[in-house]
Amino acid sequence: MLDIDKLSLNIPDTKKPRVVIIGGGFGGINLAQKLECKDFQVVLLDRQNYHGFWPLLYQVATAGLEPDSIAEPLRKMFSSDEFEDFHFRLVKVTGVNPATKTVSTIIGELHYDYLVIATGTKSNYFGNEQVKKNAFPLKQIPHALNLRSQLLQCFEQATMTADPVLRQSLLTFVIVGGGPTGVETAGALAEMRKHILPNDYPGVDFTKMKIYLIEGMDRVLPPMSPESSAKTLKYLQDLDVIVKLNTLVESYDGYVATIKGGEQINAQTLVWAAGVQGALIDGLPAESVERGRILVNPFNQVLGFDDIFAIGDIAFMKTEKWPKGHPGVAQPAIQQGQLLAKNLKRLITNQKLEPFEYFDKGSLAIIGRNRAVADLPKNIHLGGFFAWLTWLFVHIMYLVGFRNKLVVLSNWIYKFFTYENGTRLIIRPFVRKGDRVKRQFINKYETE
Ligand SMILES: Cc1cc2nc3c(=O)[nH]c(=O)nc-3n(C[C@H](O)[C@H](O)[C@H](O)COP(=O)(O)OP(=O)(O)OC[C@H]3O[C@@H](n4cnc5c(N)ncnc54)[C@H](O)[C@@H]3O)c2cc1C
């Protein structure tokens, strides 16, 4: 048995300033890659051993890509000689103690000279515990694998029932949240329904499969331009996605989604893509946190501290141009990580820090084959094939790891010509907590 008391962070002592980074996401890796190990000892702590490329997570959930093609092991990313004083530890950070300049983990504390919080976000259920318990979130690879299993299990079970009500609820998918994740998931499911599922499940009438996309605001993709929202709505409707705007889901018990106003939708699957909140860590004073994110100055220093920084989604930097903070997308995290590396070097050499200025490269969303939207700088809005090509190119470019780029690109090329998704495997069956019926069903087919 593993005796947890015998584990410790085990970081070598150093005479250099120690930078502790919590989170190996877009912000964390860009900072760590630019920090020079001759000037600093760099310690990266993450609760997972990989960097995840979340923009392609929905393709894992909809059986388009394998999970390992959208993730890169953190140790591999920092294995070359230039990172000789870089140390990764697979551990969840549970607290920050500014008074002692330490972070706490289940296996002990670690002293920092500079601390960088880059923990990103987690799903926000707005206090609705019932939805939290029963919905499928889409924030991490295990979430995508759960959803993939659930989708495939629903299709399998639909072939095995003559009960029309049960079959319809197995074939009804509710996606809550009309942002990029919701739109992209709905589009991918609609394409599966059109090109793949009728061949895989000849006994099932897929004209009956329903995909709802529910959005609380008056348009899909609210962070994008009205032009892109309008195009996206049309693309979704062309794919027979039922889009409900100005609509709020009030409850979901795992079987029935109730919409504010009383409408009920029988669905065994509800995907929650309706909101996120900062993945905060205990220990910072309440004044440093606003709307679930950490308040920072233009140098990403946490309010009240000059040795603690926050970057990426967790950071709340109010500026004249971005009074509600920067958008929760990869670019601000990447750019803040890169600038902070320079600023930490300036800090130890007593130079003036450079304030962060966000360079907005635009936003993209894909709805399906040849259907995408792009808001580019200078008010350029693309739709259709050119936006689709731009989306593919940008995602390959930013995906971390040469092998991943190769695997994803070859998957997409194969899919383009064959309409085939290669990964429709239930590797790890999904059972909702407390769902005895499904557990018994799965047990029957599991081997010892
Ligand atoms: C499904 C999905 C689709 C998206 N699509 C797009 C898109 O198309 N385009 C785009 O630009 N952006 C997209 N985003 C947003 C983008 O991924 C984020 O803005 C970006 O990841 C933010 O980077 P970050 O470094 O702040 O956080 P993250 O990349 O989320 O990284 C946070 C890291 O911190 C770690 N962590 C958290 N808490 C702890 C803890 N207590 N202890 C140790 N480690 C911890 C996590 O394991 C994770 O590795 C999407 C996000 C999701 C979830």
Side-chain angles (χ1 to χ4, degrees):
M1 203 177 75
L2 176 70
D3 184 352
I4 200 138
D5 292 338
K6 292 193 177 150
L7 297 183
S8 71
L9 288 163
N10 204 19
I11 305 291
D13 287 339
T14 179
K15 292 205 165 73
K16 289 184 272 184
R18 179 184 285 155
V19 181
V20 175
I21 306 169
I22 314 173
F26 284 96
I29 59 157
N30 275 280
L31 166 65
Q33 279 169 336
K34 297 272 174 203
L35 272 178
E36 291 187 34
C37 286
K38 70 176 171 44
D39 300 321
F40 298 99
Q41 182 186 65
V42 182
V43 179
L44 176 61
L45 307 173
D46 200 306
R47 60 185 176 191
Q48 55 201 25
N49 78 333
Y50 53 82
H51 163 74
F53 189 75
W54 310 133
L56 293 181
L57 193 63
Y58 83 96
Q59 293 209 5
V60 175
T62 52
L65 290 172
E66 278 300 337
D68 51 359
S69 57
I70 69 153
E72 187 72 351
L74 287 163
R75 284 186 180 276
K76 183 178 163 203
M77 293 174 75
F78 296 96
S79 59
S80 68
D81 291 347
E82 63 180 301
F83 301 111
E84 51 160 343
D85 206 0
F86 169 89
H87 308 270
F88 170 70
R89 293 294 181 265
L90 176 65
V91 72
K92 181 176 173 177
V93 176
T94 50
V96 176
N97 322 300
T100 50
K101 286 184 73 119
T102 53
V103 293
S104 309
T105 73
I106 192 173
I107 54 166
E109 301 208 329
L110 181 68
H111 180 268
Y112 61 79
D113 294 296
Y114 299 104
L115 174 65
V116 183
I117 304 172
T119 46
T121 54
K122 58 183 184 178
S123 294
N124 187 355
Y125 299 92
F126 306 100
N128 191 327
E129 286 301 315
Q130 191 204 32
V131 169
K132 183 176 175 183
K133 183 169 162 230
N134 296 305
F136 286 82
L138 201 44
K139 284 284 301 160
Q140 300 170 6
I141 285 180
H143 296 160
L145 292 178
N146 282 346
L147 181 55
R148 180 174 89 175
S149 295
Q150 166 74 0
L151 298 177
L152 297 171
Q153 284 167 214
C154 283
F155 301 136
E156 291 296 340
Q157 287 158 12
T159 65
M160 293 186 270
T161 178
D163 181 327
V165 177
L166 174 60
R167 181 182 282 204
Q168 187 59 60
S169 84
L170 287 164
L171 292 179
T172 301
F173 302 91
V174 178
I175 298 155
V176 187
T181 303
V183 162
E184 292 177 351
T185 308
L189 258 179
E191 295 236 306
M192 270 179 102
R193 171 177 61 186
K194 195 166 161 195
H195 300 298
I196 291 167
L197 299 175
N199 291 333
D200 276 11
Y201 303 91
V204 178
D205 175 5
F206 279 98
T207 59
K208 299 248 164 68
M209 174 172 156
K210 287 188 179 162
I211 304 163
Y212 288 87
L213 181 67
I214 298 184
E215 165 58 43
M217 294 181 72
D218 58 358
R219 60 187 178 103
V220 289
L221 297 181
M224 290 188 73
S225 64
E227 289 93 327
S228 291
S229 294
K231 274 189 200 134
T232 302
L233 180 63
K234 182 173 178 313
Y235 293 151
L236 287 167
Q237 287 169 338
D238 289 348
L239 286 168
D240 283 331
V241 173
I242 305 162
V243 181
K244 287 177 173 280
L245 300 174
N246 298 309
T247 304
L248 296 174
V249 168
E250 242 175 18
S251 66
Y252 179 60
D253 62 5
Y255 303 96
V256 181
T258 305
I259 285 170
K260 197 169 181 189
E263 186 190 346
Q264 295 199 316
I265 303 171
N266 285 353
Q268 304 256 334
T269 313
L270 181 141
V271 181
W272 188 257
V276 290
Q277 58 185 329
L280 290 169
I281 296 182
D282 287 346
L284 290 178
E287 315 81 82
S288 309
V289 177
E290 190 175 316
R291 294 195 202 178
R293 292 163 81 190
I294 301 174
L295 284 164
V296 294
N297 68 11
F299 314 112
N300 285 95
Q301 277 163 320
V302 174
L303 201 79
F305 302 93
D306 51 19
D307 54 357
I308 307 182
F309 300 79
I311 56 173
D313 279 2
I314 188 80
F316 189 6
M317 186 189 291
K318 287 188 209 174
T319 63
E320 213 174 295
K321 190 165 173 207
W322 302 97
K324 291 182 183 164
H326 297 103
V329 290
Q331 275 303 323
I334 293 172
Q335 294 172 26
Q336 288 178 354
Q338 291 173 346
L339 178 67
L340 183 55
K342 287 189 199 159
N343 274 339
L344 284 171
K345 174 104 193 238
R346 289 191 182 106
L347 206 61
I348 57 164
T349 48
N350 293 321
Q351 294 176 59
K352 218 172 145 210
L353 302 187
E354 189 184 315
F356 178 70
E357 208 161 311
Y358 176 44
F359 174 46
D360 188 357
K361 297 186 178 174
S363 329
L364 297 158
I366 191 169
I367 299 93
R369 173 182 289 247
N370 298 340
R371 293 178 175 101
V373 287
D375 288 343
L376 302 177
K378 299 197 177 150
N379 246 344
I380 299 171
H381 308 289
L382 297 181
F385 180 70
F386 287 110
W388 180 74
L389 267 188
T390 313
W391 187 96
L392 298 182
F393 175 74
V394 167
H395 284 73
I396 287 289
M397 203 170 77
Y398 280 100
L399 186 59
V400 176
F402 180 69
R403 178 192 160 277
N404 288 346
K405 288 180 202 277
L406 215 60
V407 171
V408 170
L409 186 64
S410 54
N411 259 277
W412 287 349
I413 293 172
Y414 180 75
K415 187 177 170 188
F416 184 78
F417 289 109
T418 62
Y419 287 86
E420 260 289 317
N421 275 15
T423 57
R424 300 188 297 281
L425 305 173
I426 304 170
I427 302 285
R428 192 188 62 179
F430 174 76
V431 185
R432 194 177 272 126
K433 270 188 199 137
D435 196 342
R436 278 184 44 237
V437 179
K438 209 173 259 175
R439 163 55 59 207
Q440 283 161 6
F441 178 85
I442 284 168
N443 281 350
K444 271 191 189 164
Y445 295 92
E446 269 179 357
T447 50
E448 286 292 299

